[in-house]
Amino acid sequence: MEFGEFADTAAEIEALSADTEIIERVTELFERAASDEDGDDLPVLARFVQGRVFPAWTSRTLDIGPNYCYEAIARAAGTNVSADDVEAKLAEVGDIGEVAASYDFGGQQGLGAFGSGGGSGQSDLTVGEVDAKLAELAAAEGSGSQDKKIDILFALFNRASSREARYLARIVLSEMRIGVGEGTVRDAIAAAFEVPVESVARALQVSNDYGEVARVAHGEGAGEDDEDGETGLNAMQLEIGRPVQAMLAQAGTVGDALDDWEETAVEWKFDGARVQLHYDGEEVSIFSRNMEDVTDPLPEIVEHVHEHLDVPAILDGEVVAMEDGEPLPFQEVLRRFRRKHDVARAREEVELDLFAFDCLHADGDDLLRTPLVERHERLEDVLSGGTSALWVSDDPEEIADIEANALEAGHEGIMLKNPDSTYSPGRRGKNWLKRKPDVETLDLVVTGAEWGEGRRASFLGTFLLSARTDSGEFETLGKVATGITDEELAELTELLEPHIKSQDGQEVDISPEVVFEVGYEEIQESPTYSSGYALRFPRFLGVRDDKTPGSADSLERVERLADEQ
Ligand code: AMP
């Protein structure tokens, strides 16, 4: 396909605002590319239309700074234009495409005179040629490579019409901005080749390669010759060495998790940096969350994988910098990611530990659709050290204990995960929740309690909490039994027993004398307690020896906090 045809379509798309119309244009573009003799342009167009030169799974770039691009444009624009002029114009109009389109490259003497195009009409540039030249540009390395890159770009701009220059410049600087996102390309591939959107979406998740997915959807499956698009897409697999996007988490509460799933998987949230480990049976590759290859800066993790992983696999996890068994701030790991020189010395300075928490592929099996708990079992089967622990629980108290341990170990808190959920690359869905830190704590007065049971029968176990009203009364809003050690129970019993006013079975009334600091997830309106509010998952944080009931939190503050949520 002529590059001019692509540029015309891009211009049409840019002028549209309705998603459906944009998808239609992209669909037509793909259909036209597929009906061309060789169809080779289809994968390239699936990337160009998003302003991508390389597949999404690679962190490869053109590796050319904007200044070199301005230089190439200036040279193509003529002797009286400098890179500074280009930059100044860019500062004025804010779009490198518009800047490039404003020059009359066709007026250039020399090389330009041999080009058939130039000006604002069509050139003889093809999509395939632009792609090949950009690949050549990216591959230029070593001394003199920047000059070579500028020469290649200059030659392209020199032949481009102004419309072509507009989109060429935007592709080179990764600033396409014509309103075509990943979802648009997904829908257009499905529409152009009449394959289900779900098949396209899944294939994109496993391959992270829009060009390849378009090619396979068109019917050029990885396997047999005449494979239909849908079969080909469904057969696409994860590939070791080709990173997929990491599954992401949203903020949530223990309440959200237990409401939705009855039981929740609980893991520590490690304070490090995300990694995806790929092991093909011989080589280890490590990728950051942005899919950058960070294998070389992390030799100890590479060694760890060689030592503890026996089968080809793709694992997801966190690398944490440690000192004396305590995690250091995550920036330490990021510093290591960027380290190019003296890695051996850096390694001596900071210890890096792996906490793998997921397994996407093991020994030939793709596990993206396998439930989380089974994936974790597989992880523990294949990796003999450096896996994170996973608990499954429906007990807020147990979950609070796990969180307390995570915090005590210096980590960030906990993650709550749907035990049955599949692995959705790139998705920030509801199946992974990072537990929200506690909202502001409350200092509440103890106005009642219950004696414990069994081993704890001689201790007060559950404590009734109240807020102060303006008139000096106390209104109840919850009971706390979580976050208290046996030792603390004994101390609290000793502290509160002298203030017991009356007893009815296991329940006791207590004069308002002692103030507890409590954390909680949420304040809900509720008829259960006299204040009209109830604390969700209250946790004991300590006794406020320094506070009298008169200086405890008021019901007014509780109401305000409830409103602010
Ligand atoms: P955030 O960066 O705050 O959105 O939190 C999500 C990040 O927490 C993930 O991308 C991981 O890098 C990190 N993380 C730490 N521990 C875990 C875990 N057990 N499961 C999932 N992600 C984790």
Side-chain angles (χ1 to χ4, degrees):
M1 182 185 286
E2 302 289 319
F3 190 68
E5 186 177 343
F6 164 73
D8 286 345
T9 309
E12 274 174 41
I13 292 171
E14 194 175 356
L16 297 171
S17 53
D19 285 348
T20 47
E21 285 180 300
I22 295 177
I23 293 169
E24 267 170 37
R25 292 301 148 88
V26 179
T27 303
E28 287 159 15
L29 179 71
F30 291 171
E31 284 169 345
R32 286 202 304 275
S35 65
D36 269 4
E37 289 272 287
D38 50 18
D40 281 353
D41 292 337
L42 176 61
V44 181
L45 288 168
R47 299 194 307 265
F48 275 11
V49 55
Q50 293 180 72
R52 287 181 197 278
V53 180
F54 299 108
W57 60 265
T58 154
S59 57
R60 242 178 114 191
T61 62
L62 292 175
D63 194 20
I64 180 166
N67 290 336
Y68 294 104
C69 182
Y70 307 154
E71 173 72 35
I73 291 173
R75 267 167 61 185
T79 43
N80 53 354
V81 180
S82 71
D84 285 346
D85 295 336
V86 174
E87 196 173 352
K89 207 166 193 177
L90 177 61
E92 206 179 296
V93 301
D95 166 19
I96 191 63
E98 196 172 326
V99 173
S102 71
Y103 295 113
D104 183 3
F105 296 134
Q108 167 77 348
Q109 294 300 307
L111 264 183
F114 299 105
S116 64
S120 55
Q122 285 292 47
S123 77
D124 60 355
L125 276 174
T126 65
V127 167
E129 203 178 350
V130 172
D131 185 48
K133 286 286 170 198
L134 292 180
E136 193 183 323
L137 185 159
E141 272 184 8
S143 71
S145 63
Q146 290 300 345
D147 285 343
K148 184 161 184 212
K149 285 171 192 270
I150 294 174
D151 285 347
I152 294 171
L153 260 195
F154 159 70
L156 282 173
F157 279 116
N158 203 38
R159 286 171 52 193
S161 69
S162 68
R163 177 162 281 176
E164 290 166 338
R166 172 187 291 268
Y167 296 102
L168 178 62
R170 291 202 191 163
I171 289 174
V172 169
L173 290 181
S174 310
E175 289 176 11
M176 195 59 175
R177 297 192 198 138
I178 58 169
V180 174
E182 298 180 353
T184 319
V185 177
R186 177 198 59 208
D187 292 353
I189 292 174
F193 307 115
E194 293 171 11
V195 285
V197 171
E198 300 74 44
S199 297
V200 179
R202 195 203 73 91
L204 286 173
Q205 285 192 338
V206 299
S207 69
N208 225 336
D209 187 337
Y210 291 81
E212 177 70 0
V213 169
R215 198 180 66 76
V216 173
H218 174 40
E220 299 174 54
E224 301 111 66
D225 285 344
D226 291 332
E227 201 147 31
D228 77 273
E230 185 177 349
T231 314
L233 290 176
N234 293 342
M236 283 179 81
Q237 298 275 339
L238 292 173
E239 211 172 273
I240 294 175
R242 190 174 63 184
V244 298
Q245 292 186 40
M247 182 161 172
L248 302 171
Q250 47 175 254
T253 63
V254 175
D256 296 336
L258 295 181
D259 285 349
D260 287 352
W261 320 318
E262 290 178 11
E263 283 190 317
T264 177
V266 187
E267 294 169 5
W268 286 9
K269 185 169 190 288
F270 304 100
D271 196 6
R274 189 82 174 258
V275 287
Q276 201 172 93
L277 306 163
H278 289 238
Y279 176 58
D280 64 7
E282 285 177 14
E283 300 247 329
V284 176
S285 313
I286 310 177
F287 300 95
S288 72
R289 180 166 155 175
N290 304 332
M291 302 197 222
E292 254 167 287
D293 190 323
V294 290
T295 316
D296 290 341
L298 305 176
E300 58 270 68
I301 305 296
V302 173
E303 283 165 25
H304 180 94
V305 173
H306 276 299
E307 231 166 86
H308 295 277
L309 183 66
D310 293 330
V311 296
I314 302 176
L315 309 181
D316 188 4
E318 193 89 349
V319 165
V320 184
M322 305 286 283
E323 193 173 58
D324 303 328
E326 292 266 330
L328 294 168
F330 72 95
Q331 287 87 348
E332 288 287 335
V333 192
L334 296 186
R335 274 231 296 272
R336 273 295 292 281
F337 278 14
R338 290 192 293 270
R339 187 102 176 198
K340 298 241 161 39
H341 307 289
D342 276 340
V343 173
R345 210 176 68 224
R347 178 180 178 171
E348 272 168 24
E349 285 163 10
V350 183
E351 176 192 334
L352 293 186
D353 281 0
L354 171 68
F355 296 92
F357 49 71
D358 217 314
C359 182
L360 281 50
H361 175 100
D363 208 9
D365 299 328
D366 272 4
L367 302 172
L368 294 185
R369 289 169 167 194
T370 305
L372 167 74
V373 169
E374 282 175 45
R375 294 200 309 275
H376 199 272
E377 282 167 8
R378 196 70 189 267
L379 171 71
E380 290 185 329
D381 282 350
V382 298
L383 188 70
S384 58
T387 57
S388 84
L390 177 144
W391 296 265
V392 177
S393 175
D394 63 356
D395 176 4
E397 193 164 344
E398 187 187 358
I399 298 170
D401 285 347
I402 298 169
E403 181 167 36
N405 292 337
L407 293 171
E408 193 164 326
H411 289 284
E412 266 185 273
I414 49 171
M415 300 285 300
L416 304 162
K417 299 182 180 176
N418 178 350
D420 299 322
S421 59
T422 57
Y423 192 99
S424 320
R427 209 50 90 60
R428 194 181 286 286
K430 284 200 171 135
N431 282 325
W432 284 19
L433 302 177
K434 43 191 173 189
R435 199 186 90 79
K436 278 190 203 156
D438 276 332
V439 268
E440 287 177 62
T441 61
L442 283 170
D443 296 331
L444 298 171
V445 182
V446 181
T447 53
E450 287 168 29
W451 291 103
E453 288 184 0
R455 187 165 62 84
R456 294 176 161 190
S458 59
F459 298 136
L460 292 170
T462 302
F463 303 90
L464 185 64
L465 304 166
S466 295
R468 175 176 58 81
T469 66
D470 282 348
S471 54
E473 307 288 308
F474 291 94
E475 301 290 356
T476 59
L477 73 160
K479 290 177 180 173
V480 66
T482 297
I484 315 176
T485 63
D486 280 0
E487 207 174 284
E488 283 170 330
L489 278 184
E491 284 168 17
L492 293 176
T493 306
E494 205 174 309
L495 182 69
L496 288 162
E497 212 172 355
H499 305 298
I500 293 178
K501 287 193 294 192
S502 62
Q503 176 154 348
D504 180 6
Q506 275 176 278
E507 294 186 14
V508 297
D509 266 347
I510 297 182
S511 317
E513 299 286 347
V514 175
V515 179
F516 279 9
E517 182 179 9
V518 289
Y520 55 90
E521 281 192 343
E522 218 182 343
I523 302 171
Q524 295 178 318
E525 287 192 27
S526 157
T528 313
Y529 296 103
S530 66
S531 66
Y533 291 97
L535 298 182
R536 196 128 202 248
F537 299 122
R539 294 187 303 151
F540 173 79
L541 299 174
V543 176
R544 288 297 305 253
D545 297 318
D546 56 330
K547 281 202 166 179
T548 59
S551 56
D553 277 316
S554 62
L555 189 55
E556 201 190 331
R557 175 155 192 258
V558 172
E559 280 165 359
R560 204 177 56 240
L561 288 172
D563 282 348
E564 284 168 7
Q565 289 174 149

